[in-house]
Amino acid sequence: MGKSWSQSGNHFVLHQRIIKRNVLLNVDKKCDMRRRIKNIGRKRRERGNMLVLGSVVLAIVGLGLLIGYSYGGLVFTHNRLQGSADEIALAGARKLNENDRIGQMNNMVARARQLVMESQLHLDKVQSDFPQLQSIAQEQLDEAQDCALELDQQRSYLKGLATGESIVAMEKKFDQIKGQYPMSLPWLKVGSPSLNKMRLGFLENVETNVEELKNIQELEDHDEAKGYIKNSPGLKLYKQGESKYLPAPNESIHFYMSSLAAPVEKTVSPAHIVLSKAYQKLDYPVIPTCTQVEITLKVGTGLGGNANQDMKVESAAAATGASPPQ
């Protein structure tokens, strides 16, 4: 009987141990499951954080690209606007000396001046040596003076004609290109350009195309004394600007000659773009040979910093040079 109770007690203890072990195993399984669930959640959070970080990086890169496109568009628009200003200035410059009309006028003014001087010297000689021919000499002088006065009127007419045609050419060129500018993009907005200024003048350090006329020593001495000649190496040209007055009694006649590039070895200088600061305002009633324009354009990026502004450019162009004298 005692033995039976002992065996029963052993079985009970063994059963309790088995139950306890099973409980511990179940607890371990639950803990392991919890750890796995936590690891899965942590991995998901890590993957989620990486996605968020990647999205933020992509957004920053995209924003940087848009800002870059915006300011790159500003640079492109500025270069394009400068090119348009160059085209407009050139269109006007080509019209000024069309068919070498200014070069020919300068040559005629110089020769008319020489003719008046020669006629005056001839009259002075006739009065002292051949008084019987004085009326003929006086008639020749009067005719030379009348021709010089008429030529000055034609020069004034040519000035108005060349100026008007040049302005019309610049306005026409502007009308052709202004419609190509307006556009609206997310990163760049461009309005219509405005042609603010059109000026006509001359190019600094460029004298006339006419070489000093020889064969009348009195005229050469007078021009040298008055400083009418620009002494350049191998070339003596009449200076542009002020009237090249003759000695008395013909000092009241105007002889204006315009600035114009002289031919070099029979090569004519084409109309070309020059530095805007090389443009000079006319101080005398001469025919202009240089153009200058100013254009403004409203632009804005719409992104990044405040880049809305009125973009302004200037351009200047010199007229076609003179042809070789015939």
Side-chain angles (χ1 to χ4, degrees):
M1 187 69 178
K3 187 176 180 180
S4 297
W5 279 105
S6 177
Q7 290 178 350
S8 297
N10 291 335
H11 285 298
F12 178 77
V13 172
L14 181 61
H15 182 68
Q16 290 295 324
R17 289 179 178 176
I18 292 172
I19 292 174
K20 185 176 181 181
R21 186 183 64 185
N22 290 336
V23 170
L24 292 174
L25 288 174
N26 289 333
V27 171
D28 290 340
K29 288 180 179 180
K30 289 181 179 180
C31 291
D32 185 58
M33 183 65 68
R34 289 176 181 173
R35 284 194 298 270
R36 289 183 180 180
I37 292 173
K38 288 182 179 180
N39 290 335
I40 292 173
R42 185 169 60 251
K43 290 180 179 180
R44 287 180 177 176
R45 286 194 298 272
E46 289 176 354
R47 285 198 295 268
N49 292 337
M50 291 299 295
L51 288 175
V52 172
L53 180 61
S55 299
V56 171
V57 171
L58 288 176
I60 293 174
V61 171
L63 182 60
L65 288 175
L66 287 178
I67 294 175
Y69 284 144
S70 299
Y71 287 95
L74 287 177
V75 174
F76 171 78
T77 302
H78 181 273
N79 292 337
R80 184 184 176 196
L81 188 64
Q82 184 65 61
S84 297
D86 292 344
E87 290 182 32
I88 295 170
L90 270 176
R94 291 191 184 101
K95 273 293 181 182
L96 289 174
N97 192 36
E98 191 173 44
N99 299 322
D100 194 33
R101 52 189 176 184
I102 299 178
Q104 293 179 18
M105 179 58 71
N106 282 347
N107 283 317
M108 287 190 291
V109 169
R111 281 159 176 75
R113 180 172 180 266
Q114 187 184 45
L115 180 59
V116 172
M117 184 68 178
E118 184 178 13
S119 298
Q120 183 64 56
L121 293 174
H122 187 218
L123 176 61
D124 294 341
K125 183 174 180 60
V126 166
Q127 286 176 338
S128 61
D129 298 342
F130 308 99
Q132 67 275 18
L133 300 177
Q134 180 176 345
S135 60
I136 298 176
Q138 183 65 53
E139 184 178 345
Q140 290 178 340
L141 176 60
D142 292 342
E143 185 177 346
Q145 291 172 339
D146 290 341
C147 288
L149 294 172
E150 178 67 22
L151 184 61
D152 189 58
Q153 293 177 3
Q154 292 300 315
R155 186 195 58 79
S156 297
Y157 171 78
L158 178 58
K159 176 187 177 184
L161 178 64
T163 298
E165 290 183 352
S166 177
I167 291 176
V168 169
M170 289 189 284
E171 290 176 341
K172 183 178 179 180
K173 176 60 70 172
F174 175 72
D175 290 338
Q176 290 176 355
I177 65 177
K178 68 179 181 180
Q180 304 172 6
Y181 277 87
M183 65 176 177
S184 180
L185 299 173
W187 58 86
L188 184 65
K189 298 183 185 301
V190 181
S192 295
S194 299
L195 184 58
N196 296 335
K197 297 178 182 178
M198 291 183 293
R199 304 186 184 96
L200 298 177
F202 69 98
L203 190 62
E204 67 175 354
N205 299 325
V206 175
E207 306 301 341
T208 73
N209 58 296
V210 184
E211 292 189 51
E212 181 186 19
L213 299 180
K214 303 294 184 179
N215 302 323
I216 302 179
Q217 189 60 46
E218 292 84 352
L219 183 59
E220 294 180 35
D221 295 340
H222 173 75
D223 291 344
E224 188 71 26
K226 291 292 185 179
Y228 291 157
I229 304 298
K230 177 67 177 291
N231 291 313
S232 301
L235 193 64
K236 288 187 175 183
L237 299 174
Y238 286 105
K239 293 182 179 179
Q240 65 84 30
E242 64 176 320
S243 177
K244 310 302 181 291
Y245 294 108
L246 290 173
N250 298 297
E251 69 275 13
S252 61
I253 304 176
H254 296 293
F255 296 97
Y256 289 106
M257 287 182 273
S258 299
S259 167
L260 192 65
V264 178
E265 296 182 355
K266 297 185 178 181
T267 300
V268 178
S269 172
H272 58 281
I273 297 298
V274 298
L275 293 176
S276 187
K277 64 181 181 181
Y279 166 88
Q280 298 294 315
K281 181 181 177 181
L282 292 176
D283 295 324
Y284 299 95
V286 296
I287 306 172
T289 55
C290 184
T291 60
Q292 186 186 59
V293 298
E294 179 183 287
I295 303 178
T296 57
L297 179 68
K298 291 187 178 295
V299 295
T301 61
L303 291 172
N306 183 14
N308 297 322
Q309 61 175 319
D310 286 336
M311 188 178 291
K312 182 175 72 172
V313 297
E314 282 187 349
S315 181
T320 306
S323 299
Q326 301 298 324

Coordinates of all heavy atoms in Angstrom, one line a residue, residues 111-120 137-151 246 250 253 255:
R111 N 34.7 118.2 -102.6 CA 35.1 118.7 -103.9 C 34.4 120.1 -104.2 O 35.0 121.0 -104.8 CB 34.7 117.7 -105.0 CG 35.8 116.6 -105.1 CD 35.3 115.4 -105.7 NE 36.4 114.4 -105.9 CZ 36.9 113.7 -104.9 NH1 36.4 113.8 -103.6 NH2 37.9 112.8 -105.1
A112 N 33.2 120.2 -103.6 CA 32.5 121.5 -103.8 C 33.3 122.6 -103.0 O 33.4 123.8 -103.5 CB 31.1 121.5 -103.3
R113 N 33.8 122.2 -101.9 CA 34.6 123.1 -101.1 C 35.9 123.5 -101.8 O 36.3 124.7 -101.8 CB 34.9 122.5 -99.7 CG 35.8 123.3 -98.8 CD 35.8 122.5 -97.4 NE 36.6 123.3 -96.5 CZ 37.9 123.1 -96.2 NH1 38.6 122.1 -96.9 NH2 38.6 123.8 -95.3
Q114 N 36.5 122.5 -102.4 CA 37.7 122.8 -103.1 C 37.5 123.7 -104.4 O 38.2 124.6 -104.7 CB 38.4 121.5 -103.6 CG 39.7 121.7 -104.3 CD 40.3 120.3 -104.8 OE1 39.5 119.6 -105.4 NE2 41.5 120.1 -104.5
L115 N 36.3 123.5 -105.0 CA 35.9 124.3 -106.2 C 35.7 125.8 -105.8 O 36.2 126.7 -106.5 CB 34.7 123.7 -106.8 CG 34.2 124.5 -108.1 CD1 35.2 124.5 -109.2 CD2 32.9 123.8 -108.6
V116 N 35.1 126.0 -104.6 CA 34.9 127.4 -104.2 C 36.2 128.0 -103.9 O 36.4 129.2 -104.3 CB 33.9 127.4 -102.9 CG1 33.9 128.8 -102.3 CG2 32.5 126.9 -103.3
M117 N 37.1 127.3 -103.2 CA 38.4 127.9 -102.9 C 39.2 128.2 -104.2 O 39.8 129.3 -104.3 CB 39.2 126.9 -102.0 CG 40.5 127.4 -101.6 SD 40.3 128.8 -100.4 CE 42.0 129.1 -100.0
E118 N 39.2 127.3 -105.1 CA 39.9 127.5 -106.4 C 39.3 128.7 -107.1 O 40.0 129.5 -107.7 CB 39.9 126.2 -107.2 CG 40.7 126.4 -108.5 CD 40.7 125.1 -109.3 OE1 39.8 124.2 -109.0 OE2 41.5 124.9 -110.2
S119 N 38.0 128.8 -107.2 CA 37.3 129.9 -107.9 C 37.7 131.2 -107.2 O 37.9 132.2 -107.9 CB 35.8 129.7 -107.9 OG 35.5 128.5 -108.6
Q120 N 37.8 131.3 -105.9 CA 38.1 132.5 -105.2 C 39.6 132.9 -105.5 O 39.8 134.1 -105.8 CB 37.9 132.3 -103.7 CG 38.2 133.6 -102.9 CD 37.2 134.7 -103.2 OE1 36.0 134.5 -103.1 NE2 37.7 135.8 -103.6
A137 N 35.4 135.4 -114.2 CA 35.9 134.8 -112.9 C 34.8 134.9 -111.8 O 34.6 134.0 -111.0 CB 37.2 135.4 -112.5
Q138 N 34.2 136.1 -111.8 CA 33.1 136.3 -110.7 C 32.0 135.4 -111.0 O 31.4 134.8 -110.0 CB 32.7 137.8 -110.7 CG 31.7 138.1 -109.7 CD 32.2 138.0 -108.3 OE1 33.3 138.6 -108.0 NE2 31.6 137.2 -107.4
E139 N 31.6 135.2 -112.2 CA 30.5 134.3 -112.6 C 30.8 132.9 -112.1 O 30.0 132.1 -111.6 CB 30.2 134.4 -114.1 CG 29.0 133.6 -114.5 CD 28.8 133.7 -116.0 OE1 29.3 134.6 -116.6 OE2 28.0 132.9 -116.5
Q140 N 32.1 132.4 -112.4 CA 32.5 131.1 -112.0 C 32.4 130.9 -110.4 O 32.0 129.9 -109.9 CB 33.9 130.8 -112.5 CG 34.0 130.7 -114.0 CD 35.4 130.4 -114.4 OE1 36.4 130.7 -113.7 NE2 35.6 129.9 -115.7
L141 N 32.8 132.0 -109.7 CA 32.8 131.9 -108.3 C 31.4 131.9 -107.8 O 31.0 131.1 -106.9 CB 33.5 133.1 -107.7 CG 33.5 133.2 -106.1 CD1 34.1 132.0 -105.5 CD2 34.1 134.5 -105.7
D142 N 30.5 132.7 -108.4 CA 29.1 132.7 -107.9 C 28.5 131.3 -108.2 O 27.7 130.8 -107.4 CB 28.3 133.7 -108.7 CG 28.7 135.1 -108.3 OD1 29.3 135.3 -107.2 OD2 28.5 136.1 -109.1
E143 N 28.8 130.7 -109.3 CA 28.2 129.4 -109.6 C 28.8 128.3 -108.6 O 28.0 127.5 -108.2 CB 28.6 129.0 -111.1 CG 28.0 127.7 -111.5 CD 28.4 127.4 -113.0 OE1 28.8 128.3 -113.7 OE2 28.1 126.2 -113.4
A144 N 30.0 128.4 -108.3 CA 30.6 127.5 -107.3 C 29.9 127.6 -105.9 O 29.6 126.7 -105.3 CB 32.1 127.7 -107.2
Q145 N 29.7 128.9 -105.5 CA 29.1 129.1 -104.3 C 27.6 128.6 -104.3 O 27.2 128.0 -103.3 CB 29.1 130.6 -104.0 CG 30.5 131.2 -103.7 CD 30.5 132.7 -103.5 OE1 29.6 133.4 -104.0 NE2 31.5 133.2 -102.9
D146 N 26.9 128.9 -105.4 CA 25.5 128.4 -105.5 C 25.5 126.9 -105.4 O 24.6 126.3 -104.8 CB 24.9 128.9 -106.8 CG 24.6 130.4 -106.8 OD1 24.6 131.0 -105.6 OD2 24.5 131.0 -107.8
C147 N 26.4 126.2 -106.1 CA 26.5 124.8 -106.0 C 26.7 124.3 -104.6 O 26.1 123.3 -104.2 CB 27.5 124.3 -107.0 SG 27.1 124.4 -108.7
A148 N 27.6 124.9 -103.9 CA 27.9 124.5 -102.5 C 26.7 124.7 -101.6 O 26.4 123.8 -100.8 CB 29.1 125.4 -102.0
L149 N 26.0 125.8 -101.8 CA 24.8 126.0 -101.0 C 23.7 125.0 -101.3 O 23.0 124.5 -100.4 CB 24.2 127.4 -101.2 CG 25.1 128.6 -100.7 CD1 24.6 129.9 -101.1 CD2 25.3 128.5 -99.2
E150 N 23.5 124.7 -102.6 CA 22.5 123.7 -103.0 C 22.9 122.3 -102.5 O 22.0 121.6 -102.1 CB 22.4 123.7 -104.5 CG 21.5 122.7 -105.1 CD 20.0 123.0 -104.8 OE1 19.7 124.2 -104.5 OE2 19.2 122.0 -104.8
L151 N 24.2 122.0 -102.5 CA 24.6 120.7 -102.0 C 24.4 120.6 -100.5 O 24.0 119.5 -100.1 CB 26.1 120.6 -102.3 CG 26.7 119.2 -102.0 CD1 26.0 118.1 -102.7 CD2 28.2 119.2 -102.2
L246 N 35.8 127.9 -95.1 CA 36.9 128.4 -95.9 C 37.3 129.8 -95.4 O 36.6 130.4 -94.6 CB 36.4 128.5 -97.4 CG 36.2 127.2 -98.1 CD1 35.5 127.4 -99.5 CD2 37.5 126.4 -98.3
N250 N 34.5 133.6 -97.9 CA 33.5 132.5 -98.1 C 33.3 131.7 -96.8 O 32.9 130.5 -96.8 CB 34.1 131.5 -99.2 CG 34.2 132.1 -100.5 OD1 33.2 132.5 -101.1 ND2 35.4 132.2 -101.0
I253 N 29.7 129.8 -95.8 CA 29.2 128.6 -96.4 C 29.6 127.4 -95.5 O 30.7 127.3 -95.1 CB 29.8 128.4 -97.8 CG1 29.5 129.7 -98.7 CG2 29.2 127.2 -98.5 CD1 30.1 129.6 -100.0
F255 N 30.3 123.5 -94.8 CA 30.8 122.2 -95.4 C 30.8 121.1 -94.3 O 31.9 121.0 -93.7 CB 32.1 122.5 -96.1 CG 32.1 123.4 -97.2 CD1 32.4 124.8 -97.0 CD2 31.7 123.1 -98.5 CE1 32.4 125.7 -98.0 CE2 31.7 124.0 -99.5 CZ 32.0 125.3 -99.3

